[in-house]
Amino acid sequence: MKTIKGPAIFLAQFVDDQAPFNNLKSICEWMASVGYYGVQIPSWDARLIDLKKAAESQTYADEIKGIVNEAGLEITELSTHLQGQLVAVHPAYNELFDGFAPDNLKGDLKGKSAWATQQLKYAAKASKNLGLNAHATFSGALMWHTVYPWPQRPAGLVATGFSELAKRWTPILDVFEENGVDLCYELHPGEDLHDGVTFEMFLEKVNNHKRANILYDPSHFVLQCLDYLQFIDFYHERIKMFHVKDAEFNPTGKQGVYGGYQGWVDRAGRFRSLGDGQVDFSGIFSKLSQYDFDGWAVLEWECAIKHPEQGAIEGAQFIADHIIRVTDKAFDDFAGTGADENFNKKILGI
């Protein structure tokens, strides 16, 4: 077994125009000062990284890595959550996602998809240049508007949808294979890949592609009322990344999973700072350690109540307290009798 690495933190929710969160050097120094050892970098934020340049220039990639290392940290992974979303967007959501792409592509559904596809390919090469072996993204969605089958879904709609999704992602997955990097989909409501069943259907369509893997985030499973511990039993071989994010689900006589169009503070299901929600992290860290998870425990902070700086500070210690230093011996070794084949046969009566 391997000891999970961490604590680490996803920088997306902390980048700001105000110091010390406005550039890679100072944000890394701040994160190191509160107890982190790794950072996951959002690749769409130019204040932190130029993704294309990192893909095309080993020198630049080394410079980025050097900035992080000088702060006493490691880069855990890059993220293309926003770009990945644009690989597959239903026309009904076209304008809603305009902010995820360059201004010159506003309203251009096909143009945004082509741009996002190239961004993912850059991410594969940039990850290799940075010495990384996993990458975080979203799948995008062509079918989310049909998630609740009313009116009835036409026969074959889901199969066609997953075939198209696979068609768009397979060339990207192939580039990740060429660069030796696992592409990890965060299974998330709003994406066509949002639970184990949808991931399996996608995996079948991409012919069980070696690089199609999972970013495990239990918070999204709490809000779906999914057994997030058994999920690890089912999919541990494909879990290559881990977001440590808390959540709670408190249904009432007035609202449940769908949230009644309420804001985050007033929803039955909402994300919380670590330790303030309902996720059984002791169980999660135990299972991931049991299955030899070889990666980082990365805080993704999202909370509608607590200030992000408090969440980050508390989160580092929370993760550190949950990382299990795995054992290299059995607890009952003291009672062992050693290895003796003849003795074993005698005990068995043979």
Side-chain angles (χ1 to χ4, degrees):
M1 295 185 292
K2 298 181 179 68
T3 297
I4 296 171
K5 292 174 283 190
I9 190 165
F10 186 27
L11 296 179
Q13 286 83 7
F14 297 92
V15 186
D16 193 271
D17 288 332
Q18 300 297 317
F21 305 110
N22 58 345
N23 64 75
L24 185 62
K25 181 178 185 294
S26 60
I27 197 172
C28 285
E29 290 172 345
W30 191 90
M31 292 303 176
S33 75
V34 299
Y36 290 98
Y37 296 100
V39 288
Q40 188 177 100
I41 299 177
S43 68
W44 59 85
D45 199 311
R47 290 168 292 188
L48 302 182
I49 192 171
D50 182 324
L51 182 61
K52 183 175 184 290
K53 194 172 180 180
E56 296 177 342
S57 170
Q58 183 64 58
T59 299
Y60 175 74
D62 290 342
E63 290 172 359
I64 292 294
K65 189 174 180 180
I67 291 170
V68 176
N69 293 164
E70 285 175 12
L73 304 175
E74 295 181 45
I75 302 174
T76 65
E77 303 94 4
L78 299 179
S79 154
T80 53
H81 282 85
L82 301 194
Q83 301 99 312
Q85 177 76 66
L86 297 182
V87 171
V89 174
H90 186 275
Y93 298 92
N94 187 12
E95 286 75 18
L96 288 173
F97 287 124
D98 272 347
F100 288 13
D103 288 342
N104 65 303
L105 293 175
K106 288 185 182 300
D108 183 353
L109 197 65
K110 291 184 178 179
K112 284 185 290 191
S113 180
W115 173 82
T117 297
Q118 182 59 63
Q119 285 280 298
L120 265 294
K121 293 177 179 179
Y122 286 146
K125 296 174 183 177
S127 295
K128 180 182 179 180
N129 287 345
L130 291 164
L132 308 175
N133 58 19
H135 180 78
T137 199
F138 278 149
S139 69
L142 300 173
M143 295 173 282
W144 182 250
H145 63 298
T146 73
V147 68
Y148 197 87
W150 181 257
Q152 181 184 102
R153 283 189 291 260
L157 178 77
V158 173
T160 300
F162 275 105
S163 292
E164 178 62 26
L165 200 65
K167 178 182 175 182
R168 299 189 188 193
W169 278 104
T170 296
I172 298 170
L173 287 163
D174 289 343
V175 174
F176 274 85
E177 169 63 13
E178 292 167 7
N179 287 277
V181 179
D182 289 319
L183 183 55
C184 303
Y185 297 97
E186 182 172 354
L187 306 183
H188 187 294
E191 311 299 318
D192 281 341
L193 306 191
H194 56 270
D195 59 12
V197 172
T198 52
F199 178 73
E200 287 181 12
M201 288 192 285
F202 176 72
L203 199 58
E204 181 181 3
K205 292 292 187 180
V206 295
N207 296 315
N208 294 304
H209 202 293
K210 175 184 177 181
R211 297 300 174 179
N213 289 290
I214 295 170
L215 189 172
Y216 176 76
D217 183 335
S219 68
H220 303 301
F221 298 155
V222 169
L223 271 56
Q224 295 182 69
C225 301
L226 185 153
D227 187 335
Y228 54 84
L229 290 176
Q230 190 179 45
F231 181 95
I232 299 173
D233 293 325
F234 288 144
Y235 302 110
H236 58 90
E237 292 181 353
R238 293 275 179 173
I239 295 173
K240 306 294 186 180
M241 290 179 60
F242 174 26
H243 270 177
V244 190
K245 190 169 79 170
D246 212 344
E248 62 184 355
F249 181 62
N250 299 303
T252 69
K254 292 187 175 182
Q255 62 158 292
V257 171
Y258 300 106
Y261 296 112
Q262 299 303 294
W264 280 111
V265 171
D266 299 315
R267 292 176 65 90
R270 57 189 186 178
F271 302 128
R272 299 301 308 274
S273 272
L274 288 185
D276 295 343
Q278 299 167 346
V279 175
D280 176 9
F281 284 107
S282 293
I284 289 171
F285 276 85
S286 293
K287 276 193 179 289
L288 289 175
S289 297
Q290 169 191 339
Y291 288 120
D292 212 23
F293 173 70
D294 187 19
W296 287 84
V298 180
L299 168 65
E300 182 182 20
W301 178 87
E302 290 181 351
C303 184
I305 298 173
K306 185 169 286 184
H307 192 279
E309 290 181 30
Q310 182 181 356
I313 293 168
E314 293 175 351
Q317 189 61 53
F318 185 94
I319 293 174
D321 289 343
H322 280 80
I323 290 176
I324 298 168
R325 180 187 175 190
V326 298
T327 183
D328 57 358
K329 60 182 70 177
F331 64 85
D332 55 357
D333 280 350
F334 71 93
T337 58
D340 188 318
E341 183 66 13
N342 291 330
F343 182 65
N344 289 344
K345 289 180 177 179
K346 183 176 180 180
I347 293 298
L348 294 171
I350 57 177

